[in-house]
Amino acid sequence: MTRILGISGSLRRASFNAGLLRAAAELAPEGAEVDVQGIHGVPLYDADLEAEGTPQPVLDLRAALEAADALLLVTPEYNNGIPGPFKNAIDWMASGPGADLFNGKWVALMGASPMATGAIMAQNHWLPVLRTLGTRPWFEGRLMVGRAKDKFDDKGQLTDEDTRRRVSDFMAGFAAALD
């Protein structure tokens, strides 16, 4: 079984990106399992706080990353870039002993946005971060869901059949690259 840690970078209850991650988990091919996680409870990074002990939500995300064969980042886009809370969570995960957990780990990017471009700028902004962490970005596919308001219901569930097919194809391609 291939284990993929999927992290949604949105804090919103009916988040398009949390819904996209749930769809990715549901549509993952046989033999691949997606561990759906979020960033709730991760405090702002503070070295003084870290010196007192790494917060439990960060330890939980690190443990999930250690257990995973690959990482799926499902990113919103704020002001044409990475959302601060999502970058903060990755910074926490990569601090201290967490840095080694990213090294050589396959990673794929997807994102949803109300804008037509579907979080492409945020995905581009992740690339230098992923390079610094020593990950292995999967460049054979990126999934951008634009005009997300038309593709998700009011609870954040992906309802658009064409987008569900694209998510299924994306997950099949990513899982095949991990074999």
Side-chain angles (χ1 to χ4, degrees), residues 73-139:
L73 298 178
V74 187
T75 188
E77 181 174 295
Y78 299 165
N79 296 315
N80 288 338
I82 300 170
F86 200 6
K87 173 70 165 59
N88 175 72
I90 298 299
D91 289 342
W92 260 114
M93 289 173 68
S95 68
D100 292 340
L101 299 176
F102 287 92
N103 194 33
K105 189 86 59 174
W106 281 102
V107 62
L109 295 165
M110 62 170 58
S113 169
M115 306 305 290
T117 56
I120 190 170
M121 297 298 288
Q123 290 186 34
N124 288 341
H125 284 170
W126 275 111
L127 298 178
V129 175
L130 298 175
R131 184 175 28 259
T132 299
L133 294 173
T135 65
R136 297 175 64 188
W138 181 58
F139 288 121

Side-chain angles (χ1 to χ4, degrees), residues 143-145 161-171:
L143 183 71
M144 293 153 290
V145 179
E161 286 305 317
D162 181 58
T163 305
R164 291 180 63 79
R165 181 193 49 75
R166 290 176 47 226
V167 170
S168 179
D169 292 347
F170 179 92
M171 292 305 296

Side-chain angles (χ1 to χ4, degrees), residues 30-55:
E30 187 174 329
E33 177 182 271
V34 178
D35 178 12
V36 174
Q37 297 285 334
I39 59 172
H40 287 86
V42 176
L44 290 175
Y45 179 78
D46 178 342
D48 293 332
L49 180 60
E50 184 176 30
E52 296 170 9
T54 303

Side-chain angles (χ1 to χ4, degrees), residues 19 27-28 42-43 53 69 71 74 76 90 117 140 150 152:
L27 298 168
V42 176
D69 301 304
L71 178 61
V74 187
I90 298 299
T117 56
E140 284 74 28
D150 299 333
F152 292 82

